[in-house]
Amino acid sequence: ATRSTSRAARSASAFVTESEAPQLVDGSTPATPSELFARLDALGIPHRTLHHPPVFTVEEAQQHRGDEPGAQVKNLFFKTKKGMALLVCLEDRALDLKPLGQLLGLGRLSFGRPPRLMSYLGVSPGSVTPFSVLNDRSGAVGLFLDEALREFETVHCHPLDNAQTTAIRTADLVRFLEAVEHPPSWIDLREVTK
């Protein structure tokens, strides 16, 4: 009986009411993909979005994207004693976290937990993206981009939802990040790549 009750409780908790909707640290609700696209459109930034099943890992994403030209990225959200950081790098980078923290000037890195991720960037694990800084209105999250991304004309990122991938010119991504007051710091990750 206990097992079926807990299963029923878990099923009931899957339904979120408006009062239980995710909130950002400032009390507002996170931006939606539609709101992101509207912001890109308002900035005159062209974008193209592919819909696919939800993906949570680089490996799952590789199965659904085909041969789209451009940089495919992974996004790492860190918490440190000095604050929070989002690192956007090439998907195939295997990073050594100890020297990475030193390179970023943040000291010891640990991955941010899902509640913190939702509170500051308005996304859940699997949906982390450079676009999510749109939700960080207080500027609490530092943003770092892999220097190698500059070599690609196009970059592919989730538009706040891991069931979609949006292609955008790399220069336009930077323009968007600057427009939402998160100019990125470019980092050469070669020395911390395993």
Side-chain angles (χ1 to χ4, degrees), residues 124-156:
S124 56
S127 297
V128 184
T129 171
F131 292 130
S132 61
V133 297
L134 171 67
N135 290 312
D136 179 31
R137 294 176 191 94
S138 65
V141 180
L143 178 63
F144 298 89
L145 297 184
D146 186 342
E147 184 72 40
L149 294 175
R150 291 185 196 256
E151 299 171 18
F152 295 88
E153 184 175 340
T154 304
V155 63
H156 301 268

Side-chain angles (χ1 to χ4, degrees), residues 31-126:
T32 65
S34 296
E35 292 167 332
L36 167 65
F37 298 145
R39 185 71 182 263
L40 292 171
D41 293 341
L43 292 168
I45 295 176
H47 52 93
R48 184 179 75 259
T49 297
L50 169 71
H51 295 263
H52 50 71
V55 295
F56 294 90
T57 65
V58 167
E59 293 76 21
E60 288 175 352
Q62 289 170 339
Q63 294 173 12
H64 297 290
R65 70 166 170 248
D67 292 329
E68 287 286 320
Q72 304 289 343
V73 298
K74 66 180 172 185
N75 307 275
L76 305 172
F77 177 63
F78 297 111
K79 176 188 168 295
T80 74
K81 288 183 180 178
K82 296 182 180 183
M84 293 169 285
L86 175 61
L87 173 65
V88 181
C89 62
L90 293 176
E91 71 178 359
D92 59 355
R93 289 250 192 236
L95 300 169
D96 187 343
L97 294 186
K98 187 172 183 179
L100 175 61
Q102 295 167 351
L103 178 67
L104 299 178
L106 298 174
R108 185 172 173 268
L109 298 175
S110 60
F111 289 103
R113 297 193 182 277
R116 181 179 295 268
L117 178 63
M118 180 56 71
S119 293
Y120 286 91
L121 294 180
V123 293
S124 56

